[in-house]
Amino acid sequence: MKYSVKENIGLLDFLIKETGKKRNDIKNLLKYKNIYVNGNVETYYAYELKIGDSVDIDTTKQASLPFPIVYEDKDIIVINKPCGLLTEKTNHESQKTAYHIVKDYLAHKKEKIYLVHRLDQYTSGLLMFVKNQKLYDLLTQQWNEVVKVRGYVAVVEGKLTKPNGVIINYLTESKSQNVYITSKEKGKKAITHYKQIQTNRQYTMVNLRLDTGRKNQIRVHMSSLNHPIIGDEKYGAKTNPIHRLGLHAHELMFIHPLTHQEMRFVSHTPESFEKIFNKKNKRKR
């Protein structure tokens, strides 16, 4: 149902007045992102409405997803993908993917979905989809120009010799889908910036920024330093203290090619990463 705002008023008070619903019922609608103001999802109960604003209640929308929505508006949706969930379908799986789940979620609002980037199955964190063809085309054509920050947090084996640095080389993929370092003539350039966050006797947490987005880039680059990511047997890890790959996409910032606004999203470091360092004798840098 759509409502037109005829006075300056707080969102919660407006909805109670217009719908007759109880305060807690309204707060649940806000919590589960069923309220739209001028076409954008709004969850803040005290949002100040202005005369002429449009408020829409979507009662067909699913109450929740099996993972958090970090942000949603009429153009994009950003989720916090859990470790183990595929981004998109494979030859062996088409239903249990982030793409399929979000597609079903948006279908209730008759919205489309387009995939603009990917995360490895066992990498958790920020994953963005777009809702219209024009934005999809612009992002895919200008991805490296409009995306300013692709930030990850990883836990690697051992203590780094250098607490920060830049890894630059060339990567290619074998027929068995293993990514490895090769020559300039045979591979694609890959650049990763890393900085130590904290360390103990066995492990180091690092912040990583990508200049390029090659498949398995971070995993191969950290392994090339003889500090593979924990849980990454494919690239040489010997330990797995948290029973998952220790890699999380924690920051994404880009310039919206249609609105030219800076869009920045952050996902907190998983608790399981932090617990590794919540011990005596830890040393921060």
Side-chain angles (χ1 to χ4, degrees), residues 256-274:
H256 197 299
L258 294 176
T259 66
H260 307 294
Q261 291 183 329
E262 178 183 300
M263 309 291 288
R264 182 176 181 268
F265 309 105
V266 175
S267 173
H268 295 299
T269 302
E271 289 185 10
S272 58
F273 289 23
E274 299 284 1

Side-chain angles (χ1 to χ4, degrees), residues 88-119:
E88 59 182 335
K89 68 178 182 179
T90 66
N91 292 333
H92 305 291
E93 180 59 64
S94 62
Q95 303 295 310
K96 295 179 181 178
T97 68
Y99 177 87
H100 185 83
I101 294 169
V102 176
K103 181 180 179 181
D104 282 351
Y105 167 79
L106 294 178
H108 287 265
K109 300 187 296 176
K110 298 181 180 179
E111 293 182 326
K112 296 182 179 180
I113 179 175
Y114 300 87
L115 179 66
V116 290
H117 74 124
R118 296 160 181 79
L119 292 180

